[in-house]
Amino acid sequence: MTEARRRRRGADRAAARKAVALDQQLPAVERKIPTYELFSDESLELALKNAEILLQEVGLDLVNCHRAANAFKTAGQTVTVIEESTGSGAKDQTIHNVRFDKGWCREMMKTLPGAFTQYARNKDRSVPIGGNRTVFAPVYGPPFVMDMEGGRRYGTMADFEDIVKLTYMSPALHHSGGTVCEPVDVPVNKRHLDMIYAHLKYSDKPIMGSVTAPERAQDTVDMLKIVFGADFVHNNACSTSLINLNSPLALDDTMMGALEVYSENHQAVITSPFLISGAMAPVSAMGVMTQALAELFSSMAYTQLIRPGAPAIFGTFAASMSMQSGAPTFGTPEPNHIIYGMAQLARKIGLPFRSGGSLCASKSPDAQAAYETANSLNATVMAGANFVLHAAGWLEGGLVSSKEKLVMDADQLAMLQKFGQGPDLTEDGQAMDAFREVGPRGHYLGAAHTQRHMKTAFYDSKLLDYRPYETWAEDGSPDTYTLANRKMRQMLNDYEAPAIDPAIDEALKDFVDKKKASMPDASF
Amino acid sequence: MTEARRRRRGADRAAARKAVALDQQLPAVERKIPTYELFSDESLELALKNAEILLQEVGLDLVNCHRAANAFKTAGQTVTVIEESTGSGAKDQTIHNVRFDKGWCREMMKTLPGAFTQYARNKDRSVPIGGNRTVFAPVYGPPFVMDMEGGRRYGTMADFEDIVKLTYMSPALHHSGGTVCEPVDVPVNKRHLDMIYAHLKYSDKPIMGSVTAPERAQDTVDMLKIVFGADFVHNNACSTSLINLNSPLALDDTMMGALEVYSENHQAVITSPFLISGAMAPVSAMGVMTQALAELFSSMAYTQLIRPGAPAIFGTFAASMSMQSGAPTFGTPEPNHIIYGMAQLARKIGLPFRSGGSLCASKSPDAQAAYETANSLNATVMAGANFVLHAAGWLEGGLVSSKEKLVMDADQLAMLQKFGQGPDLTEDGQAMDAFREVGPRGHYLGAAHTQRHMKTAFYDSKLLDYRPYETWAEDGSPDTYTLANRKMRQMLNDYEAPAIDPAIDEALKDFVDKKKASMPDASF
């Protein structure tokens, strides 16, 4: 074989490998295993009852949410101004407290869809949200990024694009996510434009929108209209955005402003309390669940005041706390109890549920990170979460977006996806023919049943090391971090952008450029 | 404060720390959470029905098990000689095949206790086996040991003693285990004596016996009689021993010989198929479960032919296989499905169940090891396994006993033990007083409810790193392996042997010395 032919053959093989990688994209998990029911129905009813008491007797504070205060008042709820400050030197602040009539929020929530589709620009990659389906999205929000070569540092737009590409290349990540890291090299008031563009350009999986200001949410919607068409966007979820509530029991104008834009435009929101027990919530699972219910009921009811039928996801983010350092901890028993309980409550109410992820406190992609992550991901999947933000790449309590850990976690997600398929109960799965063929003291490798199923029988990790000790030692005894670094670099090297209509791409770029030119840089 | 006073105060503190470490020993897990029921009752019934067909139509091969063949024949089962070789040059071999009448094994199994106590020489450390209790024991059987200083190497008696000591010092390991590593510096025919002595001397937790030859099992029983008294041993489980079955569908004279000694002496056995799908069993969960049932029914029935009422544990060890290397894989979906299914079957039949553990394929205590281990341990605990061998310290598919990983896994076990306690559903746990005290926008740290529960609210790892990034980086950015190495060395440094009656200790040493002197060294 000539050198040229050998090279061509090598190139053909590489192309085949890439094609296979894209073909291997997994659909959203379709769970065929039962969910784990940790709480009795009686205790769930108790949490629901206590949440109603909380809404009636303690209520919700609205910080500068004038539209929401008016809407709740108009709808007959008890709204009181409890703080009002105006004048020089301080930001104006108005705080309303809302007390809710028993059952009113639940009544309002009846127009929420129990399940919906989030569309991707590649319609084959649209994802079902709810029911027995689970969608995995990457880490969201870290100011820092980390990889083996560069260490831990503030994120940049180049890092952001790397993470979007790695997510695109990972078969078990069904969703491109949102702020996969904060690109701090772009001014705060403009970075959402680059982020949304990067998701739409470098991936064709579904995306999340900006929530840091109402006008940035509107920019997201406007860019979606360029891609999907205005009419389609108006009636279909082309984005899902994370609305973190201001626990305990408060909502602020930033998040509510974003929620209002998205709900008005029929774009999906994840209303989600962010609860570190002992800080924003009590130190007991029932306490956390009760508070989360009250916060969810009031904010989800508000989405329906904005636009009945607008899709929203019942979200919960829970962490415990280290007694030594006060740092939030993850993959621990207490938040896992809460994931199970909140999932049960979401099912009872009939709404899609968001929680869990590749959560860990560890500062490097070591054994601690993996123990914590696996504990968290097992609970996430067995609880039956429908939308899993932070499903890959989360490190150091969410401060760090790790490129290697994204690759490591994505392998675990593919594995859990296979776990969720459950065992084969068919006659073929019962393997009675294999026993008759092999008999006592035989070996199953050559059996017809084995040969028939060998390729799909077991989860086949593309990352983890199953080589004999000696082979592995000769290769320098690489740990998982090192293996993931190699794979991550290979993926970025192999990456090819999905096709995009050049006219749409131009229109998006034009939108971004004009918006950027229309305002000075700002750091808030 | 003078230097002497300071030193004394330091010593007092160290003593206090040690005392606390021993006080912290956890009782066997008392599960207050539901088990996870993966399989429908219908599919379990199907596996049971198929197992009976297997026992009737394919049967079990006995390799040189003359006593068992006779016993099954006497009890009316169909026993056929299928191979008989005698003469020079080859080892004599007789193979019987036994076909079982439908339901006969299950009928025999009715005298098996549904739960029992395994006694420790310190009666406070005796453990309940069965029901909603879970007992964690360390890794069993590795020829290699590994620690950070010495790397991977063949185990020695000094390593064995280290691992017994580390197990003794680990609050969530309830059991001292058995062959925590193979001490290859002691001749094969004598090492069981040193191993049993080490467990009895350096720990006071329950122990496992030798199974490598019937006479070594007898030595175990004789040593237990020295410690517990002959009468007590005759009627109480003072040991639990691992009888690995020769899958597929066979039993051999070594394991059966040990089983006979233990069952005759009312010592507990774990009858346990060792099943790597695709090698010793089919590549489907239902296939593995069906075969395991047939193997368990026949061997457990045999324990009751030996001595009705002798305790036995329904065991299963299952692994999947790497398609790349043929190596067994762990913490993967397929063996986890099997753990859940076999646990359900054990409950259905009413027997204590052994499975799972800190299983992994990784060759170092890295993220791969931790992902695989956590996946496996979560399934183990949520399945409701009663006896968990290999619960800590397992590495490289069981080839390696890792001292650091034992420390790492033991921390995870303590965490899972807290997970198993479930949430607090009491009025106090509902925290309604906390909401009323803190109100919207408040902080829970100072709340009376928080202060009341702060010390026990969250699992408090003594190993994992929750320090701020900067503090951790100043300390050299230690990964979990490094932290575990530090803790492991500290534990061995702090170790103090539990008290033992000097007369008993002398008698044990005397027994070991005389036995060793009675035979030449042998390597089999």
Side-chain angles (χ1 to χ4, degrees):
Chain A
M1 193 158 56
T2 65
E3 178 60 26
R5 278 186 68 190
R6 195 152 51 220
R7 272 205 211 128
R8 199 164 57 240
R9 212 163 118 168
D12 288 352
R13 263 199 222 124
R17 197 170 57 232
K18 278 177 219 174
V20 167
L22 291 181
D23 283 354
Q24 284 174 339
Q25 174 63 37
L26 295 164
V29 180
E30 190 169 0
R31 213 177 345 94
K32 287 173 189 153
I33 60 172
T35 50
Y36 178 62
E37 309 289 318
L38 176 61
F39 286 80
S40 66
D41 195 59
E42 195 187 357
S43 50
L44 299 177
E45 286 293 344
L46 193 58
L48 289 166
K49 192 183 122 220
N50 286 343
E52 291 285 354
I53 295 172
L54 208 50
L55 286 166
Q56 288 171 267
E57 298 182 11
V58 179
L60 180 79
D61 278 6
L62 300 174
V63 181
N64 296 326
C65 299
H66 297 279
R67 180 174 169 185
N70 280 335
F72 284 130
K73 195 170 183 177
T74 305
Q77 305 311 296
T78 310
V79 179
T80 323
V81 175
I82 58 167
E83 197 183 310
E84 199 158 20
S85 65
T86 52
S88 58
K91 196 191 165 197
D92 292 357
Q93 181 160 285
T94 308
I95 299 175
H96 296 89
N97 177 266
V98 191
R99 304 276 162 102
F100 295 89
D101 295 345
K102 190 180 171 187
W104 178 82
C105 293
R106 293 290 300 276
E107 192 57 36
M108 290 304 302
M109 288 164 65
K110 284 186 176 162
T111 49
L112 282 163
F116 62 93
T117 297
Q118 184 192 339
Y119 291 92
R121 73 169 173 91
N122 176 349
K123 295 283 164 68
D124 292 340
R125 300 203 167 183
S126 300
V127 288
I129 310 282
N132 67 341
R133 307 301 292 265
T134 301
V135 170
F136 295 129
V139 63
Y140 185 103
F144 298 105
V145 295
M146 186 169 146
D147 53 35
M148 196 172 255
E149 294 86 357
R152 179 185 186 268
R153 59 194 188 271
Y154 279 105
T156 65
M157 204 56 221
D159 292 312
F160 188 99
E161 289 174 8
D162 275 357
I163 300 167
V164 169
K165 291 173 183 174
L166 292 170
T167 299
Y168 171 69
M169 301 276 286
S170 298
L173 284 165
H174 316 105
H175 199 288
S176 196
T179 310
V180 294
C181 73
E182 279 289 348
V184 301
D185 54 345
V186 183
V188 172
N189 62 330
K190 299 181 178 178
R191 66 175 68 143
H192 65 287
L193 297 161
D194 288 348
M195 292 196 278
I196 299 294
Y197 178 75
H199 279 298
L200 290 171
K201 169 81 174 177
Y202 299 113
S203 184
D204 61 1
K205 296 186 180 181
I207 73 162
M208 299 176 77
S210 175
V211 294
T212 54
E215 61 273 20
R216 296 175 199 157
Q218 189 59 54
D219 286 343
T220 306
V221 173
D222 291 343
M223 289 174 78
L224 292 171
K225 287 179 180 171
I226 294 173
V227 176
F228 292 90
D231 286 353
F232 191 83
V233 170
H234 189 68
N235 294 303
N236 294 285
C238 301
S239 60
T240 295
S241 299
L242 179 64
I243 305 295
N244 270 324
L245 312 178
N246 303 81
S247 307
L249 296 166
L251 303 176
D252 73 16
D253 49 345
T254 303
M255 285 292 162
M256 280 309 100
L259 178 147
E260 287 157 4
V261 170
Y262 286 121
S263 292
E264 265 168 2
N265 285 281
H266 200 83
Q267 298 304 293
V269 293
I270 308 168
T271 45
S272 201
F274 181 93
L275 302 165
I276 300 172
S277 284
M280 302 87 151
V283 292
S284 62
M286 281 293 277
V288 171
M289 287 161 60
T290 300
Q291 183 181 313
L293 282 174
E295 293 171 345
L296 284 165
F297 286 177
S298 49
S299 55
M300 295 187 93
Y302 185 49
T303 64
Q304 302 306 293
L305 282 183
I306 300 285
R307 178 168 166 180
I313 299 174
F314 185 94
T316 305
F317 182 95
S320 45
M321 195 192 275
S322 161
M323 252 84 75
Q324 301 149 41
S325 68
T329 52
F330 304 93
T332 41
E334 304 80 18
N336 282 359
H337 288 156
I338 293 165
I339 290 176
Y340 285 117
M342 290 304 287
Q344 289 180 268
L345 285 161
R347 272 193 295 283
K348 205 172 161 71
I349 296 167
L351 291 175
F353 176 58
R354 171 259 161 155
S355 198
S358 65
L359 310 179
C360 64
S362 187
K363 288 164 282 285
S364 74
D366 61 355
Q368 174 175 347
Y371 280 126
E372 293 173 330
T373 295
N375 290 337
S376 184
L377 281 179
N378 273 277
T380 303
V381 169
M382 294 178 74
N386 299 113
F387 189 94
V388 186
L389 195 57
H390 314 304
W394 166 292
L395 205 63
E396 200 188 328
L399 285 175
V400 172
S401 180
S402 160
K403 294 178 197 174
E404 285 88 355
K405 187 157 181 283
L406 185 135
V407 169
M408 290 157 59
D409 293 338
D411 177 59
Q412 292 293 303
L413 295 177
M415 203 205 66
L416 285 163
Q417 181 145 1
K418 184 150 196 301
F419 178 76
Q421 298 300 298
D424 177 3
L425 303 174
T426 65
E427 196 175 325
D428 193 30
Q430 294 168 46
M432 293 303 278
D433 59 325
F435 299 127
R436 295 200 166 93
E437 182 185 344
V438 174
R441 293 177 298 124
H443 199 288
Y444 282 89
L445 196 58
H449 182 270
T450 304
Q451 292 300 313
R452 209 155 63 229
H453 294 284
M454 198 63 196
K455 280 196 179 163
T456 54
F458 309 121
Y459 175 65
D460 183 24
S461 171
K462 300 286 188 288
L463 171 70
L464 302 182
D465 200 302
Y466 301 127
R467 292 175 291 176
Y469 177 81
E470 292 72 17
T471 319
W472 173 76
E474 275 165 28
D475 188 24
S477 306
D479 64 4
T480 319
Y481 188 18
T482 306
L483 294 171
N485 177 263
R486 291 182 194 169
K487 185 172 160 77
M488 182 267 285
R489 292 292 159 208
Q490 185 65 47
M491 287 167 77
L492 290 178
N493 188 59
D494 289 351
Y495 170 81
E496 281 173 19
I500 186 166
D501 179 335
I504 289 177
D505 190 24
E506 276 311 306
L508 286 170
K509 278 195 272 199
D510 190 51
F511 181 90
V512 169
D513 291 345
K514 280 189 181 143
K515 268 283 161 182
K516 282 187 169 181
S518 73
M519 52 188 166
D521 292 353
S523 59
F524 52 86
Chain B
M1 193 157 55
T2 66
E3 177 61 27
R5 278 185 67 189
R6 196 154 48 221
R7 270 204 213 127
R8 200 163 57 241
R9 213 163 116 167
D12 289 351
R13 263 198 222 122
R17 200 172 54 232
K18 277 178 219 171
V20 167
L22 290 181
D23 283 354
Q24 284 175 339
Q25 174 62 37
L26 295 164
V29 180
E30 190 170 358
R31 212 177 349 93
K32 287 173 188 151
I33 59 172
T35 50
Y36 179 62
E37 309 290 318
L38 176 62
F39 287 80
S40 66
D41 194 61
E42 195 186 356
S43 51
L44 299 177
E45 285 294 344
L46 193 58
L48 288 165
K49 192 184 121 220
N50 286 344
E52 291 285 355
I53 295 171
L54 209 50
L55 286 166
Q56 286 172 266
E57 297 182 12
V58 179
L60 181 78
D61 277 5
L62 300 174
V63 182
N64 295 327
C65 299
H66 297 280
R67 180 173 167 185
N70 279 335
F72 284 130
K73 194 171 187 178
T74 306
Q77 304 312 295
T78 311
V79 179
T80 323
V81 175
I82 58 168
E83 196 182 312
E84 200 158 20
S85 64
T86 51
S88 56
K91 197 192 165 199
D92 291 358
Q93 181 160 284
T94 308
I95 299 175
H96 296 90
N97 177 267
V98 193
R99 305 274 163 104
F100 295 89
D101 295 345
K102 189 180 171 187
W104 178 82
C105 293
R106 294 289 300 277
E107 191 59 35
M108 291 304 301
M109 287 164 66
K110 285 187 175 162
T111 50
L112 281 163
F116 63 92
T117 297
Q118 184 193 339
Y119 291 92
R121 74 169 173 90
N122 174 350
K123 296 282 163 70
D124 292 340
R125 300 202 167 183
S126 299
V127 288
I129 309 281
N132 66 340
R133 306 301 292 264
T134 300
V135 170
F136 294 129
V139 63
Y140 185 103
F144 298 105
V145 295
M146 185 168 146
D147 52 34
M148 196 171 256
E149 294 86 355
R152 181 184 186 268
R153 60 193 187 271
Y154 279 105
T156 64
M157 204 55 221
D159 292 312
F160 189 100
E161 290 173 7
D162 275 356
I163 300 166
V164 169
K165 290 172 185 176
L166 292 170
T167 300
Y168 171 69
M169 301 277 285
S170 298
L173 284 166
H174 316 104
H175 200 287
S176 195
T179 310
V180 293
C181 72
E182 280 289 348
V184 301
D185 55 343
V186 183
V188 172
N189 63 331
K190 299 181 177 177
R191 65 175 68 144
H192 66 287
L193 297 161
D194 288 348
M195 291 196 278
I196 300 293
Y197 178 75
H199 279 298
L200 291 170
K201 169 81 175 177
Y202 300 113
S203 184
D204 60 1
K205 296 185 180 181
I207 73 163
M208 299 178 76
S210 175
V211 295
T212 53
E215 60 274 21
R216 296 173 200 158
Q218 190 58 54
D219 287 343
T220 306
V221 172
D222 291 342
M223 289 174 78
L224 292 171
K225 287 179 179 171
I226 294 172
V227 175
F228 292 89
D231 286 354
F232 190 83
V233 170
H234 190 67
N235 294 302
N236 293 286
C238 301
S239 60
T240 295
S241 298
L242 179 64
I243 305 294
N244 270 325
L245 312 178
N246 303 79
S247 307
L249 296 167
L251 303 175
D252 74 17
D253 49 345
T254 302
M255 284 291 161
M256 281 309 100
L259 178 147
E260 288 157 3
V261 170
Y262 286 121
S263 292
E264 264 168 2
N265 285 281
H266 200 81
Q267 297 306 293
V269 293
I270 308 168
T271 45
S272 201
F274 180 93
L275 302 166
I276 299 171
S277 284
M280 305 88 153
V283 292
S284 61
M286 281 293 278
V288 171
M289 288 162 60
T290 301
Q291 183 181 313
L293 283 173
E295 294 171 345
L296 283 166
F297 286 175
S298 50
S299 55
M300 295 187 94
Y302 185 49
T303 64
Q304 303 306 293
L305 282 182
I306 300 286
R307 179 168 165 180
I313 298 174
F314 185 93
T316 305
F317 183 95
S320 44
M321 194 191 273
S322 161
M323 253 82 75
Q324 302 148 40
S325 68
T329 52
F330 304 92
T332 40
E334 304 80 18
N336 281 359
H337 288 157
I338 294 165
I339 290 177
Y340 286 116
M342 291 304 286
Q344 289 180 268
L345 286 161
R347 271 193 296 282
K348 205 172 161 72
I349 296 167
L351 291 174
F353 176 59
R354 172 259 159 155
S355 200
S358 63
L359 311 179
C360 64
S362 187
K363 290 165 281 287
S364 74
D366 60 356
Q368 175 175 348
Y371 280 126
E372 293 173 330
T373 296
N375 290 336
S376 184
L377 281 180
N378 273 277
T380 304
V381 168
M382 293 179 74
N386 299 114
F387 190 94
V388 185
L389 196 56
H390 314 303
W394 166 292
L395 204 64
E396 200 187 327
L399 285 175
V400 172
S401 180
S402 159
K403 294 177 196 174
E404 284 88 356
K405 185 155 183 285
L406 185 135
V407 169
M408 289 157 60
D409 293 337
D411 178 59
Q412 291 293 304
L413 297 176
M415 203 204 65
L416 285 164
Q417 181 146 2
K418 184 150 196 301
F419 178 75
Q421 299 299 298
D424 177 3
L425 304 174
T426 63
E427 197 176 323
D428 193 30
Q430 294 168 45
M432 293 302 277
D433 59 325
F435 300 127
R436 294 200 168 93
E437 183 186 341
V438 174
R441 294 178 296 124
H443 199 288
Y444 283 87
L445 196 57
H449 182 271
T450 304
Q451 292 299 314
R452 208 157 65 232
H453 295 285
M454 198 64 196
K455 280 196 179 161
T456 54
F458 309 122
Y459 175 65
D460 183 24
S461 170
K462 299 287 189 287
L463 171 70
L464 302 182
D465 201 302
Y466 301 127
R467 292 175 292 176
Y469 177 80
E470 292 71 19
T471 320
W472 173 77
E474 274 165 29
D475 188 24
S477 307
D479 65 4
T480 320
Y481 188 18
T482 305
L483 293 171
N485 177 265
R486 291 181 193 169
K487 186 173 160 78
M488 182 268 283
R489 291 293 159 208
Q490 185 65 46
M491 286 167 78
L492 290 177
N493 188 57
D494 289 351
Y495 171 81
E496 282 172 19
I500 187 166
D501 179 338
I504 288 176
D505 190 26
E506 275 312 305
L508 286 170
K509 280 195 270 199
D510 190 52
F511 181 91
V512 169
D513 290 345
K514 280 188 181 143
K515 268 283 160 182
K516 282 186 167 180
S518 74
M519 51 188 169
D521 293 351
S523 59
F524 52 87

